[in-house]
Amino acid sequence: MILEFLLVSLNVVGFFPSLVCFLLATFPLDLTKTRLQMQGEAALARLGDNARESAPYRGMVRTALGIIQEEGFLKLWQGVTPAIYRHVVYSGGRMVTYEHLREVVFGKSEDKHYPLWKSVIGGMMAGVIGQFLANPADLVKVQMQMEGKRKLEGKPLRFRGVHHAFAKILAEGGIRGLWAGWVPNIQRAALVNMGDLTTYDTVKHYLILNTPLEDNIITHGLSSLCSGLVASVLGTPADVIKSRIMNQPRDKQGRGLLYKSSSDCLIQAVQGEGFMSLYKGFLPAWLRMTPWSLVFWLTYEKIREMSGVSPF
């Protein structure tokens, strides 16, 4: 178990393919996705905020170009440090949990078959545990990603840097403050991992058992492409809700001023902006998830092979 956790952590931060993909390609897409998810937020009208009118929905490309023109090119990587922290904890936690559930708790049948329903439950539980552990880093990431937008709206910046963000949130809200928005966050993680882990595991073993393909890079690549798409479709609505709850202003007691709960955020978004508002940021989310999933799974499988650990 410890070896597997170390392998996953190494996969996320130690191997150049994963790190380069994350820094140079996927994170700007993640930032763009978060900005799109916040645009047109109907609930802001309750606070008399004019941000809804000042930030029109511009689409993925225009939003990214707007960030570059208005804030600077390097702002596309604002929040990347807590994002790396988050991926180390999240990826290690979810992978170890899923494999423990698959091999020890649920177990495979005598013919090595792993039923889909077990994979679904295992994937969701793994996502919940991994994301709960990583919630503080995710919270800081989302809030730092919105700092540039706050500056353009004439609002004071909240943080001087990532460590100041952690310290400020801890000082204002205590330990509980670091887990603000954890409920919609684990809901999103459960759906994403049901799409990612379950799809990858199911598609990979289906291809091995029912096609001439073997347990090799082609099978890993096809499985990861499927998992990235399914994870994006299932996870985007919950991701929109999670991002909005994490970024909302709070009172002195740490209570949100816009949303009482994830269900309240969902209802307000659908009523005020329409059902498709739940898929704001889907395109950059999918474009980010697909290469990340591809690089992660190919690297992860290769590390297992090099380390003498059985294939996933």
Side-chain angles (χ1 to χ4, degrees):
M1 294 290 288
I2 296 176
L3 174 61
E4 291 175 359
F5 183 85
L6 292 175
L7 287 176
V8 177
S9 300
L10 184 63
N11 175 48
V12 177
V13 297
F15 268 65
F16 284 110
S18 297
L19 188 58
V20 170
C21 178
F22 183 77
L23 292 176
L24 300 183
T26 65
F27 191 78
L29 289 170
D30 185 71
L31 175 66
T32 303
K33 173 208 70 175
T34 301
R35 293 290 182 89
L36 286 171
Q37 289 173 342
M38 303 300 180
Q39 288 185 5
E41 200 169 357
L44 290 173
R46 292 212 321 266
L47 298 181
D49 200 316
N50 62 357
R52 186 180 178 189
E53 289 72 27
S54 64
Y57 185 82
R58 299 188 291 188
M60 182 185 74
V61 176
R62 291 184 62 191
T63 296
L65 290 176
I67 293 171
I68 295 173
Q69 294 170 353
E70 297 163 359
E71 305 170 40
F73 179 73
L74 293 180
K75 291 300 182 181
L76 288 173
W77 281 268
Q78 189 167 27
V80 68
T81 301
I84 293 175
Y85 295 164
R86 180 253 183 193
H87 270 293
V88 172
V89 177
Y90 170 70
S91 295
R94 74 178 182 127
M95 296 303 296
V96 170
T97 301
Y98 183 78
E99 293 203 55
H100 180 74
L101 291 172
R102 185 180 66 176
E103 305 297 333
V104 179
V105 178
F106 294 135
K108 295 181 180 180
S109 59
E110 294 182 359
D111 61 355
K112 300 299 182 181
H113 176 66
Y114 192 55
L116 178 60
W117 69 269
K118 290 184 178 180
S119 184
V120 168
I121 295 175
M124 295 182 73
M125 291 178 65
V128 166
I129 292 174
Q131 189 58 74
F132 181 80
L133 296 174
N135 194 83
D138 210 6
L139 175 67
V140 171
K141 183 202 77 169
V142 169
Q143 294 197 6
M144 289 190 69
Q145 286 178 327
M146 296 304 297
E147 286 294 87
K149 181 174 180 289
R150 288 177 60 87
K151 185 176 181 180
L152 291 176
E153 293 172 352
K155 298 176 181 178
L157 297 182
R158 291 173 290 191
F159 315 118
R160 295 191 299 269
V162 58
H163 298 111
H164 177 246
F166 278 109
K168 185 176 180 181
I169 293 173
L170 183 62
E172 294 178 351
I175 293 294
R176 292 182 59 184
L178 292 172
W179 269 266
W182 70 272
V183 173
N185 210 6
I186 65 171
Q187 291 170 343
R188 169 198 172 274
L191 293 172
V192 167
N193 280 275
M194 183 173 66
D196 185 23
L197 291 173
T198 301
T199 301
Y200 181 84
D201 198 10
T202 302
V203 171
K204 174 187 171 181
H205 290 94
Y206 176 84
L207 292 175
I208 293 173
L209 294 174
N210 297 280
T211 72
L213 293 175
E214 299 179 353
D215 193 349
N216 54 29
I217 191 171
I218 297 177
T219 302
H220 302 161
L222 291 173
S223 302
S224 64
L225 291 175
C226 292
S227 70
L229 175 60
V230 176
S232 298
V233 172
L234 293 178
T236 297
D239 195 28
V240 171
I241 302 303
K242 179 266 295 187
S243 296
R244 291 186 172 192
I245 288 181
M246 283 186 160
N247 188 63
Q248 70 174 325
R250 298 180 178 274
D251 60 20
K252 294 182 179 180
Q253 285 73 43
R255 295 173 297 193
L257 299 178
L258 297 180
Y259 311 110
K260 299 177 182 177
S261 63
S262 55
S263 59
D264 180 43
C265 183
L266 171 67
I267 293 171
Q268 289 197 53
V270 174
Q271 289 182 342
E273 306 162 53
F275 176 78
M276 292 309 296
S277 66
L278 299 177
Y279 278 90
K280 285 183 177 180
F282 171 78
L283 182 57
W286 175 51
L287 292 176
R288 170 187 174 273
M289 180 68 73
T290 299
W292 174 258
S293 181
L294 181 65
V295 172
F296 175 84
W297 284 112
L298 292 182
T299 308
Y300 183 58
E301 292 276 19
K302 189 63 177 179
I303 295 174
R304 294 176 70 94
E305 178 185 341
M306 293 169 57
S307 304
V309 180
S310 60
F312 181 77

